[in-house]
């Protein structure tokens, strides 16, 4: 991506949205555990999905960043996404095979909640490696 | 693929950042092309050729 004021604005937007995500996640978890333990399923569902509003803003900022990137940056993004997606996908497949073979006992929610963070962290790491290759 | 981008840029006394701005790409892209780590797309190669007033073949040529 080109280092324009627009880019910095988008990156700042991503950071703010990520912080909002973390804050709403903490609030949502606290509410569900302490205030809404006996609430209806609909209320609990709405509160549990509150952090997704912040994530929608992150997606919007990332999409804009990708669309305004030049061809090399897009190639780097594609390589990083491919590495991250395949690594997480194969990791999940490996875990499911181990669970099916009764070697591991994992709860579905434990695995599901780690997929997006794992994808994000691996994407950032793969992007750093891919970017270094072109410097 | 080898290229004469660095020579042409130096002849015009442009920095990588200036050239990147003229071509609307990142400075990293210019650096990667100059060092031969990245081959530009055809549209970008045409844009480079047009900017320096030369043909693509005069700027880019295959290794070997």
């Amino acid at each position: 991506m080109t280092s324009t004021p627009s880019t910095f604005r988008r990156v700042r937007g991503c950071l703010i949205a990520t912080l909002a995500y973390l804050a709403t996640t903490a609030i949502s978890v606290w509410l569900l555990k302490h205030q809404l333990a006996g609430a209806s399923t609909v209320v609990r569902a709405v509160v549990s999905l509150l952090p997704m509003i912040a994530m929608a803003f992150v997606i919007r900022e990332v999409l804009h960043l990708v669309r305004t990137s030049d061809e090399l940056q897009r190639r780097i993004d594609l390589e990083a996404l491919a590495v991250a997606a395949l690594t997480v996908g194969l990791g999940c497949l490996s875990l499911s095979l181990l669970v099916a073979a009764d070697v591991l006992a994992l709860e579905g929610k434990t695995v599901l909640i780690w997929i997006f963070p794992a994808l994000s962290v691996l994407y950032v790491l793969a992007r750093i490696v891919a970017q270094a290759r072109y410097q | 693929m080898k290229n004469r981008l660095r020579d042409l840029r130096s002849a015009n006394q442009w920095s990588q950042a200036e050239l990147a701005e003229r071509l609307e790409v990142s400075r990293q892209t210019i650096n990667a092309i100059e060092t031969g780590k990245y081959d530009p797309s055809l549209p970008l190669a045409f844009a480079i050729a047009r900017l320096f007033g030369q043909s693509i073949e005069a700027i880019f040529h295959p290794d070997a």
Side-chain angles (χ1 to χ4, degrees):
Chain A
M1 75 196 71
T2 50
S3 297
T4 62
S6 168
T7 304
F8 287 119
R9 217 168 31 243
R10 295 290 168 182
V11 171
R12 192 183 59 193
C14 276
L15 289 175
I16 291 169
T18 304
L19 290 176
Y21 166 76
L22 293 174
T24 48
T25 300
I27 292 167
S28 168
V29 168
W30 183 82
L31 282 173
L32 289 169
K33 277 189 177 171
H34 299 97
Q35 303 294 319
L36 301 172
S40 70
T41 306
V42 174
V43 172
R44 292 176 61 79
V46 169
V47 172
S48 66
L49 291 175
L50 278 180
M52 290 302 102
I53 297 170
M55 287 312 290
F57 282 100
V58 173
I59 291 168
R60 190 189 70 168
E61 298 296 311
V62 169
L63 273 178
H64 190 274
L65 273 175
V66 171
R67 284 178 183 152
T68 54
S69 296
D70 69 20
E71 57 187 53
L72 176 58
Q73 298 299 328
R74 285 186 181 189
R75 174 184 285 208
I76 290 170
D77 276 325
L78 179 63
E79 286 180 17
L81 280 172
V83 168
L86 286 173
T87 306
V88 170
L90 290 176
C92 286
L93 182 61
S94 304
L95 284 177
S96 65
L97 291 173
L98 290 171
V99 169
D102 289 329
V103 176
L104 270 182
L106 288 174
E107 282 188 61
K109 67 178 181 184
T110 309
V111 176
L112 281 173
I113 212 157
W114 281 105
I115 287 179
F116 188 71
L119 199 57
S120 303
V121 169
L122 281 170
Y123 163 71
V124 170
L125 293 177
R127 200 180 193 290
I128 291 169
V129 172
Q131 189 138 2
R133 282 183 36 226
Y134 291 104
Q135 280 177 345
Chain B
M1 192 158 57
K2 291 181 179 175
N3 66 76
R4 297 173 44 234
L5 189 58
R6 190 186 296 270
D7 296 337
L8 293 167
R9 177 175 62 77
S10 301
N12 282 278
Q13 297 183 322
W14 291 336
S15 65
Q16 287 187 339
E18 282 176 302
L19 179 57
E21 198 173 334
R22 286 169 192 270
L23 293 168
E24 296 180 336
V25 296
S26 64
R27 193 199 58 77
Q28 186 192 10
T29 300
I30 298 300
N31 184 59
I33 295 171
E34 285 187 356
T35 54
K37 290 178 179 171
Y38 174 68
D39 294 332
S41 67
L42 201 51
L44 180 54
F46 269 116
I48 292 169
R50 196 162 43 242
L51 182 65
F52 291 109
Q54 300 196 21
S55 65
I56 289 180
E57 295 89 340
I59 301 174
F60 298 95
H61 43 94
D63 296 324

